[in-house]
Amino acid sequence: MRLLAPSLAALCLSATLVAPLKAQEAPRFAFFSINQLVHTSKKAGAIFSELEITGKNLQEKLQAKGQELQALQQQLNSPSLDPDKKEALAKKLRDAEYEAKKMQEDSQLEYQRVEKKVGGDITKLAAPIVEQLAKEQKLQIVLSDQAVQ
């Protein structure tokens, strides 16, 4: 899951620009872990929980729709199904399949929207701290794992 790549890339670039590398000096760098921040910071964890909850809710809705499709398919395959009702049930199944596909696309877009929002919120939380630390420690480069798992 790519969560914070663009925003943290900008953060790393700004931290790199904070202290230009001197000719005779060895580069000073640090590694910043978004995962560590999310797992140890209550604020970052609370922000990230929004993404986890959204993902879980969307997954549950998709699973329910999948079960509905499976039940309709089983009814359609039933040998005891009245031939007159078979056409109506087949149409209902096609409509439900279309709804499921649309639901999946909408869910993916919603998840990506929340993922972007959460990434931005976590970056807003971390960026000033990382930049201040880079200045205090005279770091030329700050590397990041750029993803939350």
Side-chain angles (χ1 to χ4, degrees):
M1 167 185 345
R2 288 186 66 214
L3 179 60
L4 304 174
S7 53
L8 277 180
L11 174 64
C12 290
L13 178 60
S14 67
T16 301
L17 298 175
V18 167
L21 187 61
K22 295 181 182 175
Q24 300 297 324
E25 196 175 296
R28 292 179 51 93
F29 65 93
F31 181 80
F32 176 71
S33 173
I34 295 295
N35 284 325
Q36 186 71 21
L37 177 66
V38 168
H39 291 86
T40 58
S41 166
K42 289 182 182 180
K43 280 186 179 181
I47 292 169
F48 185 71
S49 70
E50 179 183 352
L51 182 64
E52 292 176 320
I53 291 168
T54 299
K56 182 180 177 189
N57 290 341
L58 293 172
Q59 187 65 33
E60 287 173 358
K61 288 178 184 179
L62 289 171
Q63 286 176 345
K65 192 57 139 172
Q67 291 172 349
E68 178 187 335
L69 288 172
Q70 194 173 31
L72 287 171
Q73 185 66 51
Q74 287 175 350
Q75 289 175 5
L76 190 61
N77 292 340
S78 173
S80 62
L81 181 64
D82 184 5
D84 296 333
K85 294 181 181 179
K86 191 168 190 166
E87 185 61 36
L89 192 57
K91 182 184 179 334
K92 187 175 181 180
L93 178 62
R94 285 191 305 274
D95 292 345
E97 287 173 339
Y98 174 79
E99 290 171 12
K101 183 178 179 187
K102 179 75 170 134
M103 181 185 284
Q104 186 171 7
E105 291 169 356
D106 292 347
S107 295
Q108 187 173 9
L109 289 173
E110 173 67 10
Y111 186 83
Q112 289 171 346
R113 184 192 66 75
V114 172
E115 184 178 49
K116 185 176 180 180
K117 178 191 173 293
V118 166
D121 291 348
I122 290 176
T123 298
K124 284 179 189 174
L125 176 70
I129 298 166
V130 171
E131 288 177 5
Q132 181 63 34
L133 186 61
K135 286 179 186 177
E136 288 175 4
Q137 299 296 317
K138 297 179 181 164
L139 302 174
Q140 286 87 22
I141 301 171
V142 177
L143 305 172
S144 174
D145 57 4
Q146 300 181 347
V148 179
Q149 299 172 349

